[in-house]
C-alpha cells in the first residue's frame, strides 16, 4: 500500500480517507511495464497496488478504469480537515465493475475500444487540469509523473470550514459531542460511527432559528456476518438538521465493502445494501435522538437569544 503520510516542507500530511471511483465500461489493459512505470513516476514503494483490483484485490491486467482520491489532513490538525487531495489511477476487474454498476443501478456500457491503462490516465489527468468547470479547485497536475495533487478542496467546502459566528461554533460542538461513540446493533449487524464533521450555520438574528440548517458529514463502519465470516463496509452519509435539532434530510454518499480473499464480490455489495438500510432506519434515528438528548434546541436557542441581547445593548 501507499505510505499513509507525505511530507512537504515543514508540513506532514496523513491520509484521512480514500474515495474509490470507477468509470463504468471504460475498458483498459496494462502491460507489466506500465505498472513499473507508474510506481517509478509516482515515487511510491513497489507495494502500491496498481496491479490489483480496487475491490477484491485480485491481480488484474485488464478491466474498467478507476480513480482513487486520497484525502490528506495536516498531522497537527485535531479536526482532520481535508488539506490536500491526491488522485491516482486504479483498475476494477470485470466482475467487481459489473457488481458496482448493479449496486449503483447504472448501465455498464462497454467502450468499443480497449485503451492502454497508462495512456488513459495521462489523458484523464490532462482533462482534469484543463477543465474550466473545475475552477473551484486549485489543481497542480504533473503530467510527466501522472499524479495529480489538489491543494484546496472546493471553495464551497472552504467557506464552511470555519464557523460563521460563536453560536454556530457552539452548535457544531454540541452536535459532534452528541453523536460521538454512536453504535447500532441489529441482529448480526453492527454499525460504529467513525467520524463526524459539521457544516452550515446558525443565524442568531433569524426570527426562527429552525429555518437554519446544519449538515453532519458522518463516516461509519458497518459489520455483518455471513457464514461465520465478518463482512465489513465503510459508509459515508450526510444528515441535515435544523437549528433546533430536527431532521431535515438524509442522503447516503457511499457504502463500500472492504474485501479480503474470503469475501465474494456479490456478497460484499449485497451486504453493503443491507448496511445502508440499517443505517438509514436506525442509525439516522439514533443521530437525531442523541442530538435532542443533548438539549441541543434549548442551548442553541439560549445562545442565539444571548447574542441578540448583546447586539441590542450595543445600540
Amino acid at each position: 500500500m501507499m505510505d499513509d503520510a507525505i511530507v512537504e516542507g515543514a508540513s506532514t500530511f496523513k491520509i484521512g480517507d480514500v474515495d474509490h471511483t470507477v468509470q463504468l465500461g471504460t475498458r483498459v489493459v496494462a502491460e507489466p511495464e506500465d505498472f513499473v512505470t507508474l510506481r517509478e513516476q509516482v515515487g511510491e514503494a513497489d507495494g502500491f497496488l496498481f496491479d490489483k483490483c480496487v475491490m477484491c484485490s485480485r491481480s488484474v491486467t485488464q478491466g474498467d478504469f478507476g480513480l482513487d482520491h486520497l484525502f490528506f489532513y495536516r498531522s497537527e490538525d485535531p479536526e482532520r480537515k481535508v488539506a490536500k487531495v491526491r488522485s491516482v489511477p486504479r483498475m476494477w476487474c470485470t466482475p467487481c465493475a459489473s457488481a458496482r454498476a448493479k449496486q449503483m443501478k447504472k448501465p455498464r456500457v462497454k467502450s468499443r475500444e480497449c485503451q492502454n491503462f497508462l495512456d488513459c490516465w495521462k489523458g484523464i489527468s490532462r482533462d482534469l487540469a484543463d477543465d474550466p468547470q473545475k475552477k473551484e479547485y486549485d489543481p497542480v497536475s504533473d503530467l510527466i509523473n501522472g499524479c495529480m495533487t489538489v491543494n484546496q478542496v472546493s471553495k464551497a467546502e472552504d467557506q464552511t470550514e470555519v464557523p460563521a459566528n460563536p453560536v454556530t461554533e457552539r452548535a457544531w460542538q454540541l452536535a459532534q459531542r452528541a453523536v460521538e461513540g454512536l453504535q447500532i446493533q441489529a441482529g448480526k449487524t453492527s454499525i460504529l460511527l467513525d467520524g463526524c464533521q459539521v457544516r452550515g450555520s446558525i443565524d442568531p438574528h433569524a426570527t426562527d432559528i429552525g429555518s437554519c440548517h446544519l449538515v453532519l458529514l458522518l463516516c461509519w463502519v458497518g459489520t455483518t456476518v455471513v457464514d461465520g465470516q465478518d463482512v465489513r463496509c465503510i459508509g459515508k452519509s450526510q444528515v441535515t438538521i435544523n437549528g433546533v435539532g430536527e431532521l431535515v434530510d438524509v442522503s447516503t454518499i457511499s457504502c463500500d465493502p472492504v474485501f479480503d480473499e474470503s469475501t465474494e464480490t456479490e456478497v460484499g455489495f449485497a451486504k453493503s445494501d443491507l448496511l445502508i438500510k440499517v443505517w438509514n432506519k436506525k442509525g439516522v434515528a439514533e443521530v437525531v435522538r442523541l442530538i435532542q438528548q443533548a438539549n441541543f434546541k434549548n442551548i442553541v436557542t439560549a445562545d442565539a437569544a444571548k447574542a441578540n441581547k448583546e447586539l441590542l445593548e450595543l445600540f
Side-chain angles (χ1 to χ4, degrees):
M1 274 298 292
M2 178 182 180
D3 293 340
D4 63 357
I6 57 177
V7 179
E8 289 186 4
S11 297
T12 299
F13 299 89
K14 293 186 176 181
I15 296 178
D17 207 348
V18 179
D19 185 23
H20 305 293
T21 64
V22 58
Q23 297 189 7
L24 295 169
T26 301
R27 296 184 300 144
V28 291
V29 62
E31 300 296 333
E33 53 266 28
D34 291 334
F35 299 127
V36 175
T37 299
L38 272 172
R39 292 190 185 104
E40 290 174 348
Q41 292 177 344
V42 175
E44 306 299 340
D46 289 341
F48 196 89
L49 304 179
F50 288 121
D51 56 349
K52 303 291 184 182
C53 172
V54 173
M55 288 289 104
C56 66
S57 297
R58 295 184 178 95
S59 296
V60 287
T61 57
Q62 60 182 354
D64 284 17
F65 185 83
L67 288 173
D68 275 6
H69 304 293
L70 291 78
F71 297 87
F72 291 84
Y73 63 94
R74 287 183 171 83
S75 59
E76 65 272 15
D77 181 7
E79 296 185 10
R80 298 172 63 156
K81 295 177 182 176
V82 176
K84 184 181 290 293
V85 182
R86 192 179 191 185
S87 298
V88 293
R90 295 294 304 275
M91 201 183 299
W92 294 56
C93 71
T94 300
C96 285
S98 299
R100 185 63 159 176
K102 183 178 178 182
Q103 184 200 30
M104 297 169 67
K105 298 181 180 178
K106 290 185 177 181
R108 179 179 173 268
V109 181
K110 292 189 292 184
S111 57
R112 183 170 297 180
E113 296 181 357
C114 192
Q115 305 176 60
N116 174 266
F117 179 55
L118 196 55
D119 290 343
C120 185
W121 162 237
K122 289 179 179 179
I124 287 175
S125 61
R126 188 176 293 111
D127 290 342
L128 287 171
D130 296 339
D131 189 350
Q133 299 298 319
K134 298 186 180 298
K135 288 182 179 178
E136 67 270 26
Y137 296 94
D138 179 21
V140 179
S141 179
D142 184 344
L143 298 179
I144 297 176
N145 287 346
C147 192
M148 171 166 284
T149 300
V150 180
N151 294 322
Q152 300 271 333
V153 288
S154 69
K155 289 181 180 177
E157 187 171 342
D158 280 346
Q159 289 169 355
T160 56
E161 281 190 356
V162 178
N165 52 61
V167 177
T168 297
E169 183 176 16
R170 178 76 175 277
W172 285 15
Q173 293 170 350
L174 284 171
Q176 286 177 318
R177 289 172 188 163
V179 301
E180 187 176 2
L182 180 153
Q183 295 186 53
I184 300 295
Q185 190 72 40
K188 296 180 179 179
T189 299
S190 63
I191 295 177
L192 174 66
L193 187 68
D194 192 45
C196 172
Q197 290 187 333
V198 186
R199 299 290 182 262
S201 64
I202 301 292
D203 181 0
H205 311 306
T207 55
D208 176 18
I209 63 171
S211 63
C212 303
H213 291 169
L214 297 180
V215 178
L216 279 65
L217 305 174
L218 304 163
C219 181
W220 45 271
V221 178
T223 306
T224 190
V225 179
V226 178
D227 296 331
Q229 297 286 331
D230 285 347
V231 176
R232 193 163 67 98
C233 296
I234 297 175
K236 300 176 192 172
S237 298
Q238 181 173 294
V239 175
T240 303
I241 60 173
N242 62 20
V244 293
E246 298 169 336
L247 181 65
V248 175
D249 187 44
V250 178
S251 63
T252 301
I253 300 171
S254 64
C255 182
D256 295 325
V258 179
F259 288 98
D260 57 32
E261 294 180 356
S262 63
T263 307
E264 293 292 333
T265 302
E266 289 288 347
V267 171
F269 282 118
K271 292 307 175 183
S272 74
D273 291 339
L274 169 64
L275 286 163
I276 289 173
K277 292 177 182 178
V278 173
W279 169 258
N280 287 337
K281 182 178 180 179
K282 295 196 172 185
V284 174
E286 184 66 4
V287 167
V288 175
R289 187 190 73 81
L290 289 171
I291 287 176
Q292 293 176 345
Q293 190 179 52
N295 205 21
F296 184 88
K297 175 181 177 179
N298 292 339
I299 293 174
V300 174
T301 302
D303 284 347
K306 182 181 177 182
N308 265 318
K309 182 180 177 182
E310 290 173 350
L311 180 64
L312 290 172
E313 289 175 350
L314 293 175
F315 296 94

